[in-house]
Every structure is written in structure tokens, then in C-alpha cells.
Amino acid sequence: MPKDAAVEEFAGLVRALKARDGRSYEALGRRLSVSASTLHRYCSGATVPQEFAVVDRLALLCGADEEERRALEAAWTEADRARRRAASPAPTPVPAVSAAPESNPELSAPEADRARPRRGAPAPLLVAAAVGLVVLALAAALLGHPTRTASAPAPASTAPGRTAAPLPFTWSIGSQLWEGGCGHTYLVDRAPRTVAPPPVAADSGAWAGTHGAVHGGEALVRITVQGRSPSDAVVLHGLHVRVVDRAAPLPWNAYRMDNGCGGAVTPRHFAVDLDRPRPLARPVDGLDASGAKVRKIPAVSFPYKVTSSDPEELLVSARTAGCDCRWYLELEWSAGGRTGTVRITDGGKPFRTSGTRGRPAYVHDSAEGRWITDSDSGQTE
């Protein structure tokens, strides 16, 4: 089979998967940790992925069965072989090198001997350069200033007057999120008659700040990461949880923003159990039940790429039943030969989540305009 035919057969299978799913290149690429343009090149046959894993994830995302995945892997294997054959360079002939320099017939034997370069004899320019370096080093030693050669520059952290390079990406957070836009619990150290009615979700930050409220049972944090360049990708390698303080759950009243709500879409997220000694950010699949068929939304899988035209939102659900926990996140990244870790905080302060077990719980009665005891809690006002 000609190599271009193998690539085209593989590309046709990828196009069929993409057409079956119906989502855009941007939406699918975001789920696969590749750019929209890269996915388009796979579908057009301009590029064959170096690993089958990304194509297998696409097959799973688009609902392919086991037989389709095996056929896809076989087609990728043939296309990858064709790619490797096409990429193999032709051998380059090595020119013959004469054992001795050509003689100049216009020079006499003594002159030719003097003109022939002698092995080990430094050229005049090299001698002058060496002398210059010695003089500079001696002058620097007398003046008390160390010298550095161009091949060994000073580290950026120690060079005077230099500042750290800016991050190759931007990030922002949302820390006052409610599940489904309506379900959330706050702990407030106030009696019900002094607590304002529940706000709309968009005004939750101002309401929580006014009441000194703390997330009760669960805190949802959304991190939006976007590269600064449309072509140079930033690779996210991992998300880590750091608990900086643990105390007994707050003995405050629990105020619920609703009586229960639900949505057709459960977003993919990272689940964090703050009650564990060393909490981890565990990726969890989402579910989309908005259509006739429930569709799984695959969890974010590190490493994950972002650019300016292909940002990503990382949703963290941090839960606790047994502590008043203060915590923050660390995001590992690399780009352009640089690596680093960014600390994700709530405006410079740790996030805070406290358990609500056994606390008096209240819901708001809009008809009466007051907070009433939540019948599910078994508490009395």
C-alpha cells in the first residue's frame, strides 16, 4: 500500500470520529489536550500523531467500541510507518579530504614550506586574543571585580539589576461558586434574624464578605489558565493541594442558599478530600445529560496544553466534614525550556473550608421573608 494511501485511510477514520461527535475542533482539542489546528491536521492527513494514545482518547470520547478502536490502531500503525519512512533523510555523500594541502606551483620549495600551516602553532589572532584575556583577567583581579566568560553567564537570580521573566500564561480564579449555580452552604457566626436573604450567585462574593462567611462542607474553585501566545503552548503538568492549617470545624450556623437543585451537566473537575492527611486533586469525569443520551465528559488528563486561543478551566471541588481547613493549590508548568510552579490562592490568602456536621442549618423562606430551620437538619430555631 503506498504510504500516502495509508495516511489517508487513517485520516478518514479520524474524520469519521470527529463528524460523529459533532463538536468543533476547538472543543474536541481541549478535551484531548491538543490544539484545534493539530486535530485538524490529523483529520486532513497533513500530520500523523507520534503516539496512538491521543487518537484512542478521541475514539473513547466519540463513543467508539472495542472493534473500532482496534481498526483505528491498525490504521495508525500503518500510517506511522509511512510517516517514519517519509521522514528518513537520504544519506549525504561525504566529500573526500586530501591528506596534504595542495602545492602552489608559483611558490618555491622554501616559500611553500613556510606557507604550509604548522600543526600546533597558534594563529596570530588567537595569540592576541589569549593575551587580551590574560590582561583583562589581571586588571579585574587588581580592581577586585570577578570576571565571567560569555559561555558561563551569571544566573538570573544573582545578576544585579535583572528581574524574573514574566509567566508565559495568565491565570485567574473564581472562589465563590455554587454547585449548578444554586446549591451552596455558608457558615456564618450570626443569628438568623441578622443575616440577609440569599443573593443571586453572581453577588455571592459581596454577600460572603459582608457576613464573614466561610464555605460550609465544600468549596468550588475555578482556575482559568490562558497562554500568552497563540502558537507557543504552555504545558500544565499537575495540580497539587497544600493544607496550611487544620482546626476543629467552626461552631457557626449553616445557611443554605437553596433547598436543592440540579442541572443537566455535571462538569468535569478535580475532587479534593481535605480530611485526608495528604489531600490529592483527583480528576473526575463529568456527565452531560442534556440530550437523549448521557455523554461522559472525560476528566482533564495531565500533561495538558494551553495557548492564548485555547485556554482551559480547571474546576476544583474541595470537601471536608471534620476540619476547618485553610489550603491553597500549586500548578506545575513548562514552556519554552522553562519550568515553574504557580501558587493559586484566594487573593493572596489561603482558601478556607469548614465542616458543617451537627451545626444548626437554615434555609430562606421567601414567602415569609426570613430564615427558617431546615427540616432535613433536625435542628430547631
Side-chain angles (χ1 to χ4, degrees), residues 326-339:
R326 300 172 191 264
W327 54 280
Y328 63 87
L329 299 164
E330 289 181 341
L331 182 62
E332 286 187 61
W333 62 272
S334 66
R338 299 170 55 198
T339 62

Side-chain angles (χ1 to χ4, degrees), residues 114-359:
R114 287 194 299 271
R116 183 179 299 113
R118 296 180 183 276
R119 184 171 302 172
L125 289 178
L126 293 178
V127 174
V131 172
L133 287 175
V134 172
V135 173
L136 287 174
L138 180 60
L142 293 175
L143 293 174
H145 296 295
T147 60
R148 289 189 175 92
T149 64
S151 60
S157 58
T158 59
R162 295 184 63 177
T163 59
L167 288 174
F169 63 94
T170 62
W171 62 272
S172 60
I173 66 161
S175 61
Q176 296 292 341
L177 307 181
W178 298 356
E179 184 177 358
C182 56
H184 198 64
T185 298
Y186 286 109
L187 288 168
V188 180
D189 191 19
R190 294 189 185 186
R193 63 181 179 276
T194 65
V195 176
V200 296
D203 297 334
S204 57
W207 188 96
T210 300
H211 292 81
V214 172
H215 296 296
E218 178 189 31
L220 292 172
V221 177
R222 180 181 60 234
I223 309 162
T224 303
V225 185
Q226 185 171 17
R228 296 184 184 275
S229 167
S231 56
D232 298 331
V234 177
V235 181
L236 309 180
H237 293 278
L239 189 64
H240 308 289
V241 186
R242 310 297 185 197
V243 177
V244 296
D245 185 57
R246 295 179 186 273
L250 294 169
W252 298 355
N253 293 330
Y255 294 91
R256 295 176 178 168
M257 301 294 103
D258 71 309
N259 285 311
C261 67
V265 178
T266 301
R268 61 180 182 172
H269 62 279
F270 292 90
V272 177
D273 183 357
L274 294 172
D275 292 329
R276 297 181 64 87
R278 300 178 65 181
L280 301 175
R282 181 173 57 87
V284 178
D285 294 335
L287 293 175
D288 183 357
S290 58
K293 181 180 178 181
V294 176
R295 185 194 303 272
K296 183 176 73 172
I297 306 173
V300 172
S301 176
F302 291 117
Y304 199 94
K305 296 179 181 179
V306 296
T307 63
S308 62
S309 58
D310 191 20
E312 181 55 41
E313 290 186 350
L314 308 176
L315 180 64
V316 177
S317 169
R319 293 177 176 268
T320 178
C323 77
D324 173 15
C325 287
R326 300 172 191 264
W327 54 280
Y328 63 87
L329 299 164
E330 289 181 341
L331 182 62
E332 286 187 61
W333 62 272
S334 66
R338 299 170 55 198
T339 62
T341 302
V342 169
R343 178 176 293 188
I344 308 295
T345 62
D346 192 5
K349 301 182 298 182
F351 303 103
R352 189 178 183 184
T353 317
S354 176
T356 62
R357 185 179 300 165
R359 305 314 310 150

Side-chain angles (χ1 to χ4, degrees), residues 35-68:
S35 67
S37 59
T38 297
L39 182 57
H40 184 270
R41 289 196 294 271
Y42 295 163
C43 290
S44 66
T47 303
V48 176
Q50 295 186 0
E51 297 181 356
F52 177 67
V54 63
V55 189
D56 195 36
R57 292 202 303 271
L58 174 64
L60 290 170
L61 186 64
C62 298
D65 58 26
E66 191 66 28
E67 184 177 352
E68 289 176 306

